[in-house]
Amino acid sequence: MSNKLNSALLDKAVDDILAYSSGDTIQKGGADVAGKKRNFTETVEIQITLKNYDPQRDKRFSGTFRLPSIPRPNLKCCMLGNAAHCEQADRIGVAHMSVDDLKKLNKNKKLVKKLAKKYDFFLASDNMIKQIPRLLGPGLTKAGKFPTLLSSSDDMQEKIDEVKSTIKFQMKKVMCLNVAIGNVDMEKQQIIVNTQLAANFLASLLKKQWQNIGQMYIKSTMGPAQQIFF
């Protein structure tokens, strides 16, 4: 699929985002806007408004795509594992819980909710994944954090990186979508490539592809939005 994003526009948008987040002044709508360096790593996300799309009538879509550069390296993972996986998690500094640890939660909704809130995503060993609904109830599923399967032949670090770099576009009842595609500590080119790939992937999910996309912006957590598609 051809890339419909104007590369000069995208280039300038990423320049402005990086400049603003490092405290430099940028031009926005003909006026100077003073940037500000924050004491955390800002995420860069893409925001998309759809057009000629009826969320009530048209088919809902959902798709996941792995970006080449990890947009949010700080996502916290917890391994719900068998003995071997818990030991492996310990070696690479990843939080882990065994069947016994999960049993201790006693299906308490508040405790399961707290667990879901504490971590951004979960991995589970194949012999554990089937037991999770029985051990924890529907809490993780409700939070949209049902674990990703880690089979015995998978490399744990590789799987964690895969989850961290995978984005998901899912059509709900609203016409706006947004996903993280980078952070301000990344190289400019990495953000550009991630943005192009994310935009093209979303277009491939839509019935009329680019004709269903109204506007597209990219912005850092605290910075102004930069339009990259009209």
Side-chain angles (χ1 to χ4, degrees), residues 3-224:
N3 187 14
K4 290 276 171 68
L5 294 179
N6 178 321
S7 50
L9 198 60
L10 178 57
D11 198 270
K12 182 172 184 331
V14 176
D15 273 344
D16 281 351
I17 283 173
L18 295 176
Y20 184 90
S21 70
S22 62
D24 297 340
T25 298
I26 61 167
Q27 280 258 315
K28 184 94 177 99
D32 283 353
V33 182
K36 186 174 179 185
K37 187 160 175 52
R38 310 285 167 172
N39 56 3
F40 67 95
T41 301
E42 293 182 66
T43 297
V44 178
E45 67 173 23
I46 188 168
Q47 301 176 332
I48 298 139
T49 314
L50 302 180
K51 65 175 184 184
N52 307 332
Y53 209 90
D54 182 348
Q56 290 345 80
R57 279 213 322 267
D58 287 321
K59 189 170 166 279
R60 300 268 174 99
F61 60 80
S62 172
T64 55
F65 182 79
R66 185 174 181 177
L67 296 170
S69 309
I70 295 176
R72 293 191 292 174
N74 300 334
L75 290 183
K76 285 202 302 226
C77 168
C78 179
M79 176 76 224
L80 310 179
N82 53 29
H85 275 153
C86 283
E87 196 183 310
Q88 204 183 334
D90 210 40
R91 278 205 305 272
I92 60 171
V94 170
H96 52 84
M97 294 178 84
S98 64
V99 170
D100 290 341
D101 294 329
L102 296 181
K103 278 179 182 164
K104 281 176 199 157
L105 298 177
N106 214 359
K107 262 192 179 174
N108 179 316
K109 281 182 185 170
K110 276 188 179 163
L111 293 177
V112 174
K113 203 172 177 180
K114 201 172 166 187
L115 174 69
K117 216 171 173 179
K118 190 176 177 186
Y119 298 101
D120 297 296
F121 67 97
F122 295 86
L123 295 179
S125 312
D126 30 20
N127 61 330
M128 285 273 282
I129 209 154
K130 298 181 189 73
Q131 301 181 57
I132 282 160
R134 192 165 54 79
L135 291 168
L136 297 179
L140 292 186
T141 310
K142 275 186 183 164
K145 292 182 183 175
F146 192 77
T148 301
L149 174 67
L150 181 76
S151 66
S152 48
S153 58
D154 286 338
D155 178 292
M156 190 179 291
Q157 189 60 59
E158 164 59 27
K159 195 70 172 179
I160 288 170
D161 289 346
E162 182 188 317
V163 175
K164 283 182 180 178
S165 55
T166 299
I167 55 168
K168 181 176 188 178
F169 282 115
Q170 189 170 14
M171 181 67 192
K172 297 208 171 123
K173 286 178 185 158
V174 290
M175 298 283 278
C176 302
L177 299 159
N178 56 307
V179 298
I181 45 94
N183 63 71
V184 296
D185 286 346
M186 277 164 71
E187 295 291 323
K188 174 183 163 184
Q189 197 51 37
Q190 291 177 314
I191 298 175
I192 288 174
V193 170
N194 273 6
T195 304
Q196 288 170 331
L197 290 170
N200 283 341
F201 174 65
L202 173 64
S204 75
L205 294 174
L206 299 168
K207 199 162 67 177
K208 293 181 180 163
Q209 302 194 339
W210 283 91
Q211 290 169 331
N212 282 134
I213 295 175
Q215 293 162 331
M216 211 176 266
Y217 296 85
I218 51 173
K219 79 180 287 299
S220 63
T221 310
M222 307 302 284

